[in-house]
């Protein structure tokens, strides 16, 4: 019975963290829309383009932090990662950049749009 208590606490902590971060992560995913659309529709200055890339990396860091924390709190970490494979993919893509043939920043932004769709489907 005592071995179930840490497992139960871990599940409760994961649930609390998920509830606490759901709205902020949804807002960050929604913030990606203008970051995806603006470079495609508008001719942006180099400074604005750099700002968009910086905000994009900040949002990626937030997603990475969320995934890392949820994985740490999950009672069955491997199962959690396989169930949330799309989150893992979104976090790993930037580290695969040295292997790219073409610039993948726009592709990364499109993958993050998938995250927005995942949040929207939960609602």
């Amino acid at each position: 019975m005592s071995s179930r208590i840490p497992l139960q606490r871990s599940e409760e902590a994961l649930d609390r963290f998920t509830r606490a971060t759901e709205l902020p992560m949804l807002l960050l995913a929604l913030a990606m829309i203008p970051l995806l659309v603006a470079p495609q529709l508008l001719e942006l200055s180099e400074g604005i383009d750099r700002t968009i890339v910086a905000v994009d990396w900040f949002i990626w860091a937030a997603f990475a932090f969320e995934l890392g924390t949820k994985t740490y709190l999950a009672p069955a970490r491997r199962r959690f990662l396989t169930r949330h494979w799309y989150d893992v993919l979104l976090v790993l893509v930037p580290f695969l950049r040295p292997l790219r043939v073409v610039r993948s920043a726009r592709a990364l932004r499109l993958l993050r749009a998938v995250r927005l769709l995942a949040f929207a489907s939960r609602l």
Side-chain angles (χ1 to χ4, degrees), residues 1-77:
M1 184 169 155
S2 64
S3 65
R4 291 187 59 114
I5 292 173
L7 180 65
Q8 184 179 7
R9 286 184 183 158
S10 179
E11 289 172 355
E12 290 171 0
L14 177 60
D15 289 342
R16 279 193 312 273
F17 182 79
T18 299
R19 283 192 307 271
T21 59
E22 193 165 34
L23 181 60
M25 296 309 291
L26 175 61
L27 293 175
L28 285 176
L30 289 172
M32 287 300 298
I33 294 171
L35 296 176
L36 291 168
V37 173
Q40 304 300 322
L41 299 178
L42 306 170
E43 187 66 36
L44 302 173
S45 70
E46 187 176 326
I48 292 175
D49 193 48
R50 280 196 308 255
T51 301
I52 288 175
V53 170
V55 172
D56 187 38
W57 278 106
F58 171 80
I59 293 172
W60 171 84
F63 287 148
F65 176 77
E66 178 203 27
L67 179 64
T69 304
K70 285 182 174 181
T71 302
Y72 176 77
L73 294 173
R77 293 176 181 152

Side-chain angles (χ1 to χ4, degrees), residues 1 6 12 16 30 43 51 57 71 73 80 85 88 94-95 101-102 107 109-110 115 120 123:
M1 184 169 155
E12 290 171 0
R16 279 193 312 273
L30 289 172
E43 187 66 36
T51 301
W57 278 106
T71 302
L73 294 173
F80 177 84
W85 61 268
V88 174
F95 294 107
V101 175
V102 296
R109 290 178 188 156
L110 288 174
R115 174 74 180 219
L123 297 176

